[in-house]
């Protein structure tokens, strides 16, 4: 090779409409990030699910029936599974973005040729993966205590994936908005946790007074947990069709918001 050849710059790499290699690389980075601390990110939520199951089953198992005549443990288990999905999907995407901002390494994903859509897919996909891994791990343990055979597989998949996507996108927006971990704690303690605990996870809303039952119908988390539980036990507190529509509409709105904010580089580039 001549000296002249060494001075010729390499040809620029060309990408198609979607940078699949970059998207896959960022997605793997997000997955490996939580898998490296699997004791904290997966096993700890499973242990929490078992603690809830033990406490509530022992306290109310013989005195309270579940929806549609099923046992209280069978009623409770799907809600606990989805609660793990919600909490962990939000935690993954929100903490990933906030940690990058705090450590000053947002350049790692802003400088590569990744579009706002590709960034959104990678962060949301990584968070959804964590939520679903927690759900599968919880299922693997809960089957030893209750019958977890689904009656409607489509409902389990639709509401499980829809819930994981919704909280992943809320996590992206929360991670972009937050400037310190106290801000994320505000979202978790005053938004995620109240909506989760008041969604019918631990009780059937049919036993509530009429006023509180109507209020529950305005909680989007109620439709996700009710639909997911319907997939397992075949009974629902609310309208499954309304739940399908609510989850779809909210997720479309959140997807648009994530794309717009990432495209603008809100609180990332300034």
């Amino acid at each position: 090779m001549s000296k002249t050849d060494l001075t010729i710059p390499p040809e620029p790499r060309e990408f198609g409409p979607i940078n699949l290699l970059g998207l896959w690389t960022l997605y793997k980075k997000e997955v490996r990030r939580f898998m490296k601390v699997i004791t904290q990110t997966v096993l700890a939520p499973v242990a929490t699910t078992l603690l809830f199951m033990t406490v509530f089953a022992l306290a109310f198992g013989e005195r309270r029936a579940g929806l549609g005549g099923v046992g209280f443990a069978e009623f409770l288990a799907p809600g606990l599974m989805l609660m793990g999905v919600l909490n962990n999907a939000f935690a993954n995407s929100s903490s990933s973005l906030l940690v990058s901002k705090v450590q000053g390494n947002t350049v790692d994903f802003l400088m590569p040729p990744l579009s706002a859509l590709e960034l959104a897919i990678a962060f949301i996909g990584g968070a959804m993966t964590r939520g679903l891994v927690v759900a599968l791990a919880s299922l693997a343990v809960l089957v030893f205590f209750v019958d977890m055979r689904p009656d409607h597989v489509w409902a389990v998949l639709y509401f499980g994936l829809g819930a994981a996507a919704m909280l992943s996108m809320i996590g992206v927006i929360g991670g972009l908005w937050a400037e310190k971990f106290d801000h994320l704690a505000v979202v978790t303690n005053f938004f995620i946790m109240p909506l989760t605990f008041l969604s019918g996870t631990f009780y059937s809303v049919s036993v509530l007074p009429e006023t509180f039952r109507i209020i529950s119908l305005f909680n989007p988390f109620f439709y996700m947990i009710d639909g997911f539980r319907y997939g397992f036990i075949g009974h629902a507190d609310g309208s499954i069709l309304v739940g399908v529509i609510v989850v779809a509409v909210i997720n479309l709105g959140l997807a648009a918001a994530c794309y717009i904010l990432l495209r603008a580089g809100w609180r990332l580039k300034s």
Side-chain angles (χ1 to χ4, degrees):
M1 181 179 292
S2 66
K3 184 176 180 180
T4 304
D5 294 333
L6 296 176
T7 62
I8 299 176
E11 290 292 328
R13 185 167 185 172
E14 296 184 359
F15 297 97
I18 298 179
N19 181 359
L20 293 176
L21 178 60
L23 192 159
W24 176 245
T25 301
L26 182 56
Y27 168 77
K28 286 196 299 182
K29 175 255 184 187
E30 289 298 298
V31 173
R32 289 175 178 175
R33 175 177 170 272
F34 76 79
M35 290 300 290
K36 284 185 177 179
V37 285
I38 192 171
T39 302
Q40 174 186 346
T41 56
V42 177
L43 299 184
V46 173
T48 300
T49 296
L50 286 178
L51 285 174
F52 274 122
M53 173 62 77
T54 302
V55 171
F56 280 89
L58 289 177
F60 304 111
E62 297 182 356
R63 291 179 292 173
R64 177 178 296 178
L67 185 66
V70 301
F72 182 68
E74 286 77 9
F75 170 86
L76 180 63
L80 292 178
M81 279 181 57
L82 199 66
M83 187 173 71
V85 173
L86 299 175
N87 292 333
N88 286 277
F90 172 81
N92 201 78
S93 54
S94 60
S95 63
S96 178
L97 284 165
L98 181 57
V99 167
S100 294
K101 289 163 61 176
V102 171
Q103 294 180 345
N105 57 19
T106 55
V107 66
D108 290 347
F109 57 82
L110 291 177
M111 285 295 291
L114 289 167
S115 68
L117 178 61
E118 290 156 358
L119 290 175
I121 292 174
F123 283 118
I124 295 168
M128 288 181 65
T129 301
R130 174 173 165 182
L132 296 175
V133 167
V134 170
L136 291 175
S138 300
L139 177 62
V141 175
L142 289 173
V143 293
F144 292 101
F145 302 94
V146 295
D147 182 6
M148 297 296 293
R149 289 173 296 180
D151 280 357
H152 304 283
V153 176
W154 73 266
V156 173
L157 294 176
Y158 179 84
F159 288 100
L161 293 173
M166 185 182 297
L167 271 293
S168 298
M169 291 186 283
I170 293 175
V172 168
I173 296 172
L176 292 173
W177 166 76
E179 296 180 349
K180 52 186 178 180
F181 285 98
D182 288 348
H183 292 163
L184 287 186
V186 169
V187 178
T188 300
N189 295 330
F190 294 98
F191 178 71
I192 306 296
M193 186 176 294
L195 289 181
T196 302
F197 276 73
L198 297 176
S199 62
T201 301
F202 304 101
Y203 56 85
S204 170
V205 298
S206 61
V207 304
L208 298 177
E210 184 66 16
T211 301
F212 290 99
R213 188 185 69 81
I214 294 175
I215 293 174
S216 296
L217 298 180
F218 290 92
N219 180 357
F221 286 27
F222 160 74
Y223 292 102
M224 293 187 291
I225 289 177
D226 190 46
F228 190 73
R229 179 183 290 126
Y230 166 80
F232 280 98
I233 68 174
H235 300 278
D237 269 326
S239 169
I240 296 299
L241 177 59
V242 172
V244 168
I245 295 172
V246 167
V247 171
V249 170
I250 292 178
N251 279 347
L252 287 174
L254 288 172
C258 289
Y259 174 77
I260 292 170
L261 294 177
L262 285 170
R263 185 177 182 181
W266 184 56
R267 296 200 171 186
L268 285 177
K269 299 179 180 179
S270 60

